[in-house]
Amino acid sequence: MTTLKAKLHDDLTTAIKARDELRSSTLRLTLSAIAYEETAGKSARELSDDEVLKVITREAKKRREAADAFDKGGRADSAERERAEGEVLAGYLPKQLSDEEIAAIVGEAVAEAKAGGAEGPKAMGAVMKIVNPKVAGRAEGSRVAAEVKRLLAG
């Protein structure tokens, strides 16, 4: 078992013993998503820590999107629950990059892409290809894409 998955199992056991309903239900759903990912495809396999991290990131994003949808629908209590679940999952994710750090990484990538001959809005794909490995798991794709568009347009 990967170390991150083992930590999730240990934390689930602790949450159940502490009767922490929010944490235990969130971890159960996340472990269920991990198990689904492991059995998806032609053969079952054990996920690496990086793959488990991607599943946790995806689950956290679902919580953010659900909270926004509940807010728009006027269901503040459900939105608050989704945000709380997102906070639980955020504890397992690496520290997110600040806007300044993203701007610096994207700035370097844009300069690199321009040196390679790609310029203007059409260079978006080339720049994202350079940036994505550097920010993987530490910044939301929409934040990175917005910064790339801003620098390419300006």
Side-chain angles (χ1 to χ4, degrees), residues 1-149:
M1 192 181 299
T2 61
T3 55
L4 186 54
K5 186 176 168 189
K7 180 172 175 29
L8 288 169
H9 274 288
D10 294 344
D11 290 352
L12 174 60
T13 304
T14 304
I16 291 171
K17 287 180 181 176
R19 299 193 189 291
D20 185 345
E21 192 276 328
L22 172 75
R23 188 170 202 79
S24 63
S25 68
T26 303
L27 292 176
R28 274 192 182 112
L29 286 170
T30 304
L31 285 166
S32 171
I34 291 168
Y36 177 80
E37 195 72 25
E38 287 177 334
T39 57
K42 295 186 188 227
S43 62
R45 63 191 176 88
E46 186 80 22
L47 295 182
S48 69
D49 271 352
D50 286 340
E51 292 169 317
V52 170
L53 198 59
K54 284 179 184 173
V55 172
I56 295 172
T57 303
R58 188 172 57 232
E59 290 296 311
K61 183 179 178 187
K62 284 181 191 175
R63 299 309 191 285
R64 277 193 304 277
E65 291 171 352
D68 290 343
F70 281 131
D71 276 337
K72 288 177 185 166
R75 296 184 53 198
D77 54 334
S78 297
E80 197 53 46
R81 167 75 183 208
E82 293 292 333
R83 280 194 196 86
E85 289 181 7
E87 289 299 316
V88 169
L89 293 175
Y92 297 96
L93 297 173
K95 184 181 173 292
Q96 296 293 297
L97 295 172
S98 68
D99 289 338
E100 295 80 27
E101 291 169 317
I102 291 173
I105 292 170
V106 170
E108 292 170 13
V110 167
E112 194 177 320
K114 282 184 180 176
E119 284 193 47
K122 292 181 181 177
M124 178 90 177
V127 174
M128 290 300 285
K129 206 175 281 186
I130 297 167
V131 172
N132 278 337
K134 296 178 182 176
V135 300
R138 299 185 305 152
E140 202 172 303
S142 59
R143 288 176 58 208
V144 175
E147 183 63 22
V148 170
K149 285 178 188 171

